[in-house]
Amino acid sequence: MHHSHSIFQFRHMVGERTFGFTDLADLMAKATPARSGDRLAGVAAHNAEERAIAQMTLADVSLSLFLEHLLIPYEEDEVTRLIIDDHDKLAFAPIAHLTVGGFRDWLLSDLATPAVLKSIRTGVTPEMAAAVSKIMRNQDLILVAKKCHVKSAFRNTIGLPGHLSTRLQPNHPTDDLTGIAASMLDGLLYANGDAVIGINPATDNVQQASRLIRMMDEVIQHYEIPTQSCVLTHVTNTIECIDQGAPVDLVFQSIGGTQATNDSFGFNLNILAEAQDAALSLNRGTVGNNVMYFETGQGSALSANAHHSLDQQTCEARAYAVARKFNPLLVNTVVGFIGPEYLYDGKEITRAGLEDHFCGKLLGLPMGCDVCYTNHAEADQNDMDNLLTLLGVAGCTFIMGIPGSDDIMLNYQTTSFHDALYARRVLGLKPAPEFDAWLATMDITKNNDQFTLSNKLPEAFRSSLTRMIGEH
């Protein structure tokens, strides 16, 4: 069933000249909008003409070819096996006759309603999603993503149309509890933190993770905040935390789109399944039981030399098959985090963010984005404002909220509590409904969404914090 196709599948005549592409992987890579990572990997089109011809050639490829012509061999890669073994032929049937170009036209048409898009999710493979994204303009990616409604839930409901959630990210360079608590309070008073309160620990071990988990849990329980916490430590550490009785809400892991990438991250699909079972056994959700949180990003497979000569966006889309398997509460692409070797400037970061959001949503993921860049990239906060606004229009599930948009632990630039408010204000979006109601209860917002000077939270926060720091 899984065989290669001859070079003649992928030839294109232009006048007297013939453009050839060695195989489907080569065609996919050369059809990809320009980015530095593919140039670094040596897989990019040589110029705009070759790229345009690759896109025209790709548009004529049948979607069903992706089920036969596997970009990474079935025997070599457990992500490939997952994609093929879990493919839903019944869901695929309505689109099975289409080419990549026909799929684009259909996605943009009024036939592809939110309900219909939901019904085909499990029939779309990551490679099909990646392929169609390569021949779409930014506005196409926004329009189709907007029609893909993906809902998930734990202590509140994420991803409803008309809502934008945020991860409150109170990182601290020494994991100082007072500093973390100050950031948490700041974020909550700005109506941030409904997706998750999630800390990247500066010191990454089981003992430290447990300490941070307990501290966040105490705040969430004390104020009855309808949200969830997460320490973004390695999945095996979280399993140990659960074994030791820590109050774990969500299990985190960075994931990639090839088995070799995930090997380099120190996990496989079995370990994720074990972690999901452990978290589900705690039964800590109130309105749902989506217990996994995954982060991705274009370039991770290439930086691990685990990309099998594929372009970085196709590898990224394959990571979404891994995420989809475990019914996550949250998935986000940390779009500009690795640096300019992979996405050079604001234009490339913007394009990648829109592609990732589109592919994730099409495949049925609660897709968010860390709208970010490193300080040595050719990008600035205005680029982030632009991408944030475009993602807000596209129906992005959640973004990050960080004091002053500057992560003082990870040393990169992202979006602030205020940026999230901006996006909600200009686009008329609300936080998760349960969290929105809690904000009103705490006098943080009034019914008309106006902010008030609430004293309920800070006073209680202070006493609780003093006690916690005394105990720890």
Side-chain angles (χ1 to χ4, degrees):
M1 161 186 174
H2 311 305
H3 49 86
S4 288
H5 273 255
S6 84
I7 187 170
F8 300 107
Q9 286 290 130
F10 309 117
R11 282 186 177 279
H12 196 95
M13 296 286 294
V14 180
E16 294 297 297
R17 288 185 304 156
T18 302
F19 286 79
F21 304 96
T22 50
D23 55 21
L24 190 53
D26 182 48
L27 179 62
M28 292 273 278
K30 291 195 163 66
T32 306
R35 67 205 58 196
S36 52
D38 292 340
R39 291 192 287 275
L40 178 67
V43 301
H46 294 101
N47 51 45
E49 182 187 29
E50 187 180 27
R51 182 173 300 110
I53 286 162
Q55 288 170 338
M56 290 162 67
T57 309
L58 182 61
D60 288 337
V61 170
S62 166
L63 289 183
S64 57
L65 190 67
F66 290 96
L67 300 172
E68 299 159 23
H69 186 103
L70 307 183
L71 301 184
I72 303 174
Y74 185 88
E75 304 72 33
E76 279 175 40
D77 186 277
E78 70 170 357
V79 180
T80 297
R81 292 194 290 275
L82 172 68
I83 290 166
I84 293 300
D85 296 349
D86 282 13
H87 183 250
D88 183 342
K89 288 180 179 56
L90 211 60
F92 180 57
I95 56 170
H97 64 290
L98 296 173
T99 60
V100 173
F103 189 35
R104 172 186 174 270
D105 292 344
W106 179 83
L107 287 169
L108 291 167
S109 79
D110 289 336
L111 296 171
T113 61
V116 170
L117 287 168
K118 185 177 180 181
S119 73
I120 63 154
R121 275 175 195 168
T122 50
V124 179
T125 67
E127 292 85 354
M128 293 172 196
V132 76
S133 77
K134 294 174 192 303
I135 62 165
M136 293 169 85
R137 287 170 53 185
N138 287 6
Q139 63 164 270
D140 300 340
L141 299 172
I142 292 168
L143 177 65
V144 179
K146 177 82 165 182
K147 297 196 285 185
C148 295
H149 301 164
V150 182
K151 189 174 80 169
S152 61
F154 190 73
R155 288 201 192 98
N156 59 32
T157 311
I158 310 276
L160 296 171
H163 294 260
L164 173 67
S165 295
T166 63
R167 166 183 162 194
L168 202 174
Q169 188 172 317
N171 292 349
H172 192 278
T174 62
D175 289 338
D176 177 72
L177 287 181
T178 317
I180 288 170
S183 293
M184 283 171 64
L185 174 59
D186 191 19
L188 290 165
L189 289 173
Y190 270 111
N192 274 245
D194 55 330
V196 63
I197 303 174
I199 301 174
N200 300 90
T203 308
D204 196 1
N205 58 48
V206 173
Q207 186 188 357
Q208 183 68 347
S210 282
R211 178 170 163 260
L212 294 171
I213 289 165
R214 289 178 198 284
M215 179 261 194
M216 288 187 288
D217 184 57
E218 176 146 351
V219 172
I220 288 170
Q221 301 302 334
H222 191 275
Y223 301 109
E224 301 176 343
I225 310 173
T227 190
Q228 37 283 325
S229 74
C230 186
V231 172
L232 283 72
T233 186
H234 193 269
V235 60
T236 54
N237 285 350
T238 306
I239 293 172
E240 275 193 65
C241 288
I242 293 172
D243 289 344
Q244 293 176 14
V248 170
D249 289 340
L250 305 182
V251 176
F252 172 79
Q253 184 54 44
S254 294
I255 60 172
T258 70
Q259 182 177 336
T261 307
N262 294 332
D263 286 344
S264 80
F265 288 158
F267 78 92
N268 58 34
L269 298 178
N270 286 336
I271 292 172
L272 291 184
E274 181 190 339
Q276 183 184 32
D277 287 345
L280 286 170
S281 75
L282 300 181
N283 201 25
R284 292 175 56 80
T286 52
V287 296
N289 61 355
N290 300 114
V291 294
M292 305 299 278
Y293 175 18
F294 298 119
E295 283 189 343
T296 68
Q298 291 190 27
S300 62
L302 176 58
S303 66
N305 196 25
H307 62 297
H308 296 264
S309 299
L310 302 186
D311 68 89
Q312 64 185 31
Q313 189 259 330
T314 299
C315 287
E316 169 73 4
R318 285 171 53 99
Y320 305 155
V322 176
R324 178 162 72 170
K325 179 71 176 169
F326 298 99
N327 302 315
L329 180 75
L330 306 166
V331 181
N332 68 275
T333 169
V334 193
V335 66
F337 185 69
I338 313 185
E341 308 87 347
Y342 302 93
L343 297 167
Y344 180 72
D345 57 13
K347 185 185 179 78
E348 291 186 7
I349 291 170
T350 298
R351 173 70 193 184
L354 294 174
E355 287 169 349
D356 294 352
H357 179 253
F358 159 83
C359 288
K361 281 288 182 61
L362 186 63
L363 293 165
L365 291 177
M367 200 72 195
C369 183
D370 187 342
V371 178
C372 63
Y373 62 104
T374 56
N375 287 303
H376 60 305
E378 291 293 318
D380 61 25
Q381 217 63 42
N382 286 327
D383 293 310
M384 300 306 104
D385 286 352
N386 294 346
L387 178 52
L388 169 62
T389 306
L390 294 172
L391 285 168
V393 173
C396 186
T397 307
F398 72 110
I399 57 164
M400 308 303 124
I402 291 175
S405 73
D406 182 2
D407 191 309
I408 55 174
M409 199 283 283
L410 292 170
N411 288 305
Y412 76 115
Q413 307 305 314
T414 175
T415 46
S416 69
F417 302 140
H418 191 270
D419 293 342
L421 278 191
Y422 146 77
R424 284 173 179 164
R425 288 278 162 93
V426 294
L427 297 169
L429 303 170
K430 286 190 166 300
E434 300 87 346
F435 190 83
D436 200 32
W438 176 83
L439 292 169
T441 306
M442 295 302 289
D443 291 343
I444 295 169
T445 56
K446 282 190 170 20
N447 298 335
N448 58 1
D449 223 20
Q450 295 300 303
F451 277 71
T452 65
L453 291 169
S454 167
N455 288 319
K456 277 192 189 174
L457 200 55
E459 278 311 312
F461 224 94
R462 216 169 281 134
S463 58
S464 159
L465 185 63
T466 312
R467 189 175 70 256
M468 276 188 302
I469 288 166
E471 284 171 11
H472 295 289

